[in-house]
Amino acid sequence: MASSTSSSTCHCCSLLIASCLFLLSSTLVYGQLTTSFYASSCPALESVVRSTVAQAMANDTRMGASLIRLFFHDCFVQGCDASILLDDVPGSFVGEKTAFPNANSVRGYDVINSIKTAVEANCPGVVSCADIVALAARDGTVLLGGPSWAVQLGRRDSTTASQSLANSDLPSPASDLKTLINAFGKKGLSARDMTALSGAHTVGFARCQSFRAHIYNDTDIDPAFAAAQQGGCSFTPGATDGSLAPLDERSGLAFDNAYYADLVARRVLLHSDQELYNGGSQDALVSKYSSNSASFFSDFVAAMIKMGNISPLTGTAGQIRASCGVVNSS
Ligand code: HEM
Ligand SMILES: *[C@@H]1O[C@H](CO)[C@@H](O)[C@H](O)[C@H]1NC(C)=O
Ligand SMILES: *[C@@H]1O[C@H](CO)[C@@H](O)[C@H](O)[C@H]1NC(C)=O
């Protein structure tokens, strides 16, 4: 019988349970990020990151948005390992900065380098560039008026980067809903996570070349909005390719839920964004977030923490780079 109380069974059971618990707890510790990782090794870390991000945003109001995106583009390629920060070395190393989704688009590298310099002055050789990127994304969100959360830390930095994975795994603005769901699914993120994370498009800007097809060729767009956007982004590729427009025209510098109202009104720039509200599986969630900023904020935070846990290097894997743009020399 299952509820046998014979002493030999019991003894056996408790040994099994003890070893199971031991295995479980060592698994939880190994490979897991914690919010207190630098509590004793670098107590000033969070205040140094926050003040440097605040300074950068005071100089450049777009920077908070750029730092949020930098974290996404790091985590989706080889995991959150700062691989995106490695500089190309002509003739010997091709990294992710020059991949199609990043080139002339991703920003914030100088800010991460400034934070790293300030952090190294306080606690040399201790804090990874990957963790700095995660903290800067949280701080950008908070300083733009969005939610806050305790950032899980303990990532280490890669010694490699992958231009080909950056090209294949970062979703294109031409993607349809199924492609977006698959791209996030490949990283262990759900469709709900994808829809909540896309709410980051409540801040920041896109280039004409990213939204030209949507404003000229798509029909799932408010005609007045399309016409107005066409004024700054001409149909013919060329001079206006780099012209910027805010991803959220209502409140482009505030981290709020207005992006979802834009989706409902069909007044967004990216084809991929409108796919979240175009008769498919995410319509109900978009509509909920558009009227309930608390539920957007809490799902966004949960999804940012989940995204931050994509394949981190931990323990003795990887390294703590001395300078975020280059692998340590020995
Ligand atoms: C769902 C798939 C996504 C696609 C297809 C996508 C695509 C894009 C594109 C095309 C741009 C404009 C880039 C340019 O023209 O230079 C952009 C900007 C941006 N994206 Fe996404 N994105 C996605 C998800 C995300 C996620 C998950 C986040 C963060 C959690 C994010 C944060 C941002 C931010 C903040 C900007 C503005 C950056 C700035 O102004 O510097 N995006 N995205
Ligand atoms: C201020 O922002 C501009 C871009 O808008 C950048 O070129 C410059 O390096 C920044 N300066 C500082 C001190 O951060
Ligand atoms: C719009 O669609 C036409 C016909 O498919 C295509 O030739 C053109 O390049 C597209 N334009 C943009 C801006 O995507």
Side-chain angles (χ1 to χ4, degrees):
M1 230 172 125
S3 58
S4 161
T5 52
S6 89
S7 64
S8 68
T9 307
C10 197
H11 181 65
C12 206
C13 272
S14 49
L15 272 176
L16 263 172
I17 288 167
S19 50
C20 277
L21 282 175
F22 173 75
L23 279 173
L24 183 65
S25 63
S26 47
T27 307
L28 287 173
V29 172
Y30 179 72
Q32 172 144 349
L33 306 177
T34 63
T35 57
S36 60
F37 193 80
Y38 299 108
S40 57
S41 60
C42 195
L45 173 62
E46 303 222 4
S47 69
V48 169
V49 176
R50 177 68 58 97
S51 66
T52 313
V53 171
Q55 274 170 37
M57 289 172 65
N59 171 56
D60 172 2
T61 53
R62 185 182 175 191
M63 191 48 70
S66 302
L67 291 169
I68 297 169
R69 184 173 187 230
L70 182 64
F71 182 50
F72 165 50
H73 281 219
D74 181 30
C75 292
F76 263 53
V77 183
Q78 302 191 158
C80 312
D81 61 355
S83 57
I84 192 173
L85 303 180
L86 292 175
D87 290 313
D88 281 18
V89 181
S92 65
F93 177 76
V94 178
E96 296 166 20
K97 288 185 175 181
T98 48
F100 185 76
N102 295 334
N104 302 312
S105 184
V106 165
R107 309 168 76 247
Y109 303 118
D110 293 347
V111 175
I112 299 298
N113 289 338
S114 304
I115 298 171
K116 176 68 172 177
T117 302
V119 168
E120 288 295 299
N122 278 272
C123 9
V126 166
V127 180
S128 68
C129 299
D131 282 339
I132 289 172
V133 170
L135 287 166
R138 188 273 314 270
D139 289 352
T141 304
V142 171
L143 293 168
L144 289 166
S148 189
W149 63 93
V151 177
Q152 295 186 351
L153 300 165
R155 300 169 189 81
R156 290 166 63 86
D157 300 324
S158 72
T159 54
T160 62
S162 174
Q163 177 152 111
S164 62
L165 281 176
N167 282 323
S168 62
D169 288 8
L170 289 165
S172 141
S175 306
D176 63 14
L177 181 59
K178 184 171 176 264
T179 305
L180 293 172
I181 291 174
N182 287 340
F184 280 69
K186 195 174 163 184
K187 305 297 169 187
L189 299 175
S190 67
R192 186 184 186 92
D193 294 328
M194 187 270 292
T195 297
L197 287 168
S198 296
H201 289 173
T202 185
V203 292
F205 294 81
R207 292 164 304 158
C208 164
Q209 87 175 49
S210 303
F211 60 82
R212 178 180 281 125
H214 185 54
I215 65 170
Y216 283 103
N217 274 0
D218 285 347
T219 52
D220 56 345
I221 185 168
D222 172 61
F225 176 78
Q229 294 298 334
Q230 287 169 6
C233 173
S234 55
F235 181 79
T236 311
T240 61
D241 286 1
S243 300
L244 298 174
L247 285 160
D248 165 31
E249 56 155 3
R250 289 168 203 248
S251 56
L253 287 175
F255 196 103
D256 56 21
N257 64 340
Y259 161 81
Y260 297 100
D262 297 336
L263 287 177
V264 170
R266 295 186 167 77
R267 292 170 70 88
V268 291
L269 294 177
L270 305 181
H271 174 84
S272 51
D273 279 340
Q274 195 60 60
E275 282 290 300
L276 304 184
Y277 188 85
N278 195 25
S281 62
Q282 301 306 294
D283 282 20
L285 190 56
V286 166
S287 161
K288 178 183 179 190
Y289 290 157
S290 76
S291 63
N292 187 339
S293 112
S295 78
F296 162 50
F297 279 11
S298 74
D299 285 1
F300 180 79
V301 164
M304 285 291 271
I305 292 169
K306 213 166 147 185
M307 186 169 82
N309 274 281
I310 300 174
S311 318
L313 296 169
T314 56
T316 55
Q319 60 180 216
I320 303 298
R321 279 183 219 145
S323 171
C324 292
V326 289
V327 171
N328 296 342
S329 47
S330 56

